[in-house]
Amino acid sequence: MYRAGTALALFALALMQPTSGQAQDLRLTLPVDCEMGATCFIEDYVDQDPAEGQQRDFACGINSRDGHKGTDIAILSFDALEAGVDVLAAAPGVVLRLRDEMPDDRLMRGVTSENACGNGLIIRHDDGWQTQYCHLKLGSISVARGERVEAGDVIGEIGLSGQTNHPHLHFNVFRDGDLVDPFRPHAFGSCGPVGASLWTDPPTYHNTGLVTAGFSDRVPSLDEVTSGAARIGEGRSGAPLVVYAHAGYAQPGDVLRLTATGPEGDVFARDIVLEDPKVSQMQAFGRRAPEGGWPVGEYLGEAWLIRDGTVMAHRFTHLTVVN
């Protein structure tokens, strides 16, 4: 069982374990200054399936990752990251610990299990509750250890520190040192209908999601995407550039948007209307290399799943093109 005892343990996400204990009293407000479905969305929930290699969120959906121990609130662009997106205290309390020394580095150089949270802090609340805020921007933490904060106070900004390659807040809730899922606080290790939570204004849950997205040098099969064989992190200048996405539980009329940008700007943008979506499906789009090949450098791919103008899910992927 995970126990909060030292700063090292509290910032080592890999050591966290869930609890089935009762959760009471704490009430949470959204810890990011953003609008759900417009400027941010919940990318991953706590994994409620204890089996290795399997994952399910609190509502028995697909929106988690194997062994994921928190709630990820993601923003939709690196431009927003640069402009600054505030992280907010989710409840009144006192700052217990903090770290603000790690660079914002999507390549995660120097990241270990002991500093995977990156820059972040822990707030102690009444009755044994704590909340933890990870991957904050270097130099953005605006509170001090021992300082009293109220719900909604700005405590930092979303960054790229620690074990992450895309801008989001990893948010954890603990009681008496044990991990609690704020969406299903009374029954950890199980899932079911959306019910009571710790949120004062619970974010709307959607079972629709993007399992993964990536770059490839061809249009892959679903099996290749599922196994990971399709993904490339380094491409050749003369090879095709393809972005793929694996979607789950899309609805008719949902739009899957696939885009790629590179050193010289936009490479492509494609909207695919899912007229007859399956429970699980893969879509891809790409372009052949131009005469002379793609410019060498970094490329950013994005997959968006949009319903009636609301972002259901979003994924970033990165590729380095070499000669």
Side-chain angles (χ1 to χ4, degrees):
M1 179 68 69
Y2 171 81
R3 286 287 170 184
T6 66
L8 176 64
L10 280 166
F11 280 100
L13 298 180
L15 299 181
M16 297 176 185
Q17 299 295 325
T19 180
S20 58
Q22 294 293 304
Q24 300 172 353
D25 300 328
L26 185 70
R27 303 301 296 164
L28 302 172
T29 58
L30 191 68
V32 179
D33 185 13
C34 64
E35 182 182 351
M36 283 288 169
T39 59
C40 66
F41 72 104
I42 296 179
E43 179 180 40
D44 286 306
Y45 297 87
V46 175
D47 180 16
Q48 293 281 2
D49 192 328
E52 185 176 355
Q54 303 293 323
Q55 66 277 332
R56 60 182 179 181
D57 60 40
F58 71 100
C60 302
I62 63 171
N63 293 316
S64 187
R65 289 179 285 113
D66 187 28
H68 192 243
K69 305 299 184 186
T71 302
D72 286 352
I73 302 174
I75 57 177
L76 301 177
S77 74
F78 283 86
D79 288 342
L81 175 75
E82 292 299 320
V85 177
D86 288 336
V87 174
L88 313 175
V94 175
V95 177
L96 181 65
R97 296 184 178 91
L98 62 83
R99 176 194 286 128
D100 195 4
E101 62 187 31
M102 294 183 67
D104 294 285
D105 181 4
R106 72 167 184 82
L107 298 179
M108 297 179 282
R109 289 166 288 204
V111 174
T112 69
S113 61
E114 297 178 356
N115 62 15
C117 179
N119 302 319
L121 55 92
I122 297 166
I123 298 175
R124 183 181 65 238
H125 312 283
D126 293 337
D127 300 321
W129 290 99
Q130 295 178 358
T131 53
Q132 182 181 27
Y133 310 76
C134 295
H135 309 316
L136 303 191
K137 185 184 295 186
L138 177 62
S140 74
I141 294 179
S142 55
V143 292
R145 183 175 178 178
E147 183 176 341
R148 174 79 183 180
V149 295
E150 301 299 327
D153 284 354
V154 176
I155 57 176
E157 294 181 7
I158 285 180
L160 280 173
S161 61
Q163 189 173 334
T164 182
N165 61 8
H166 65 283
H168 74 281
L169 172 71
H170 179 98
F171 177 70
N172 286 325
V173 180
F174 303 95
R175 194 179 197 198
D176 296 328
D178 297 331
L179 187 67
V180 175
D181 184 345
F183 289 89
R184 192 173 176 83
H186 301 295
F188 213 115
S190 67
C191 65
V194 176
S197 76
L198 299 181
W199 302 100
T200 57
D201 185 15
T204 301
Y205 172 80
H206 303 280
N207 67 344
T208 301
L210 287 172
V211 179
T212 190
F215 272 107
S216 189
D217 54 8
R218 64 193 186 283
V219 175
S221 68
L222 178 58
D223 286 344
E224 289 174 319
V225 169
T226 301
S227 70
R231 183 184 297 273
I232 60 172
E234 184 175 280
R236 307 301 299 184
S237 179
L241 282 182
V242 175
V243 173
Y244 62 82
H246 180 192
Y249 296 98
Q251 294 182 5
D254 286 355
V255 175
L256 181 63
R257 178 173 298 160
L258 303 176
T259 69
T261 57
E264 296 183 356
D266 294 341
V267 177
F268 60 77
R270 179 75 166 188
D271 281 0
I272 303 169
V273 180
L274 305 178
E275 298 288 2
D276 186 25
K278 304 175 181 64
V279 169
S280 176
Q281 65 172 301
M282 189 280 300
Q283 297 283 349
F285 185 78
R287 293 197 184 281
R288 294 186 177 89
E291 185 176 351
W294 299 110
V296 171
E298 298 297 315
Y299 287 72
L300 175 68
E302 297 181 69
W304 311 65
L305 195 55
I306 302 168
R307 179 177 301 154
D308 298 328
T310 297
V311 177
M312 297 288 102
H314 177 251
R315 295 280 181 180
F316 289 107
T317 184
H318 302 271
L319 177 74
T320 301
V321 169
V322 298
N323 285 321

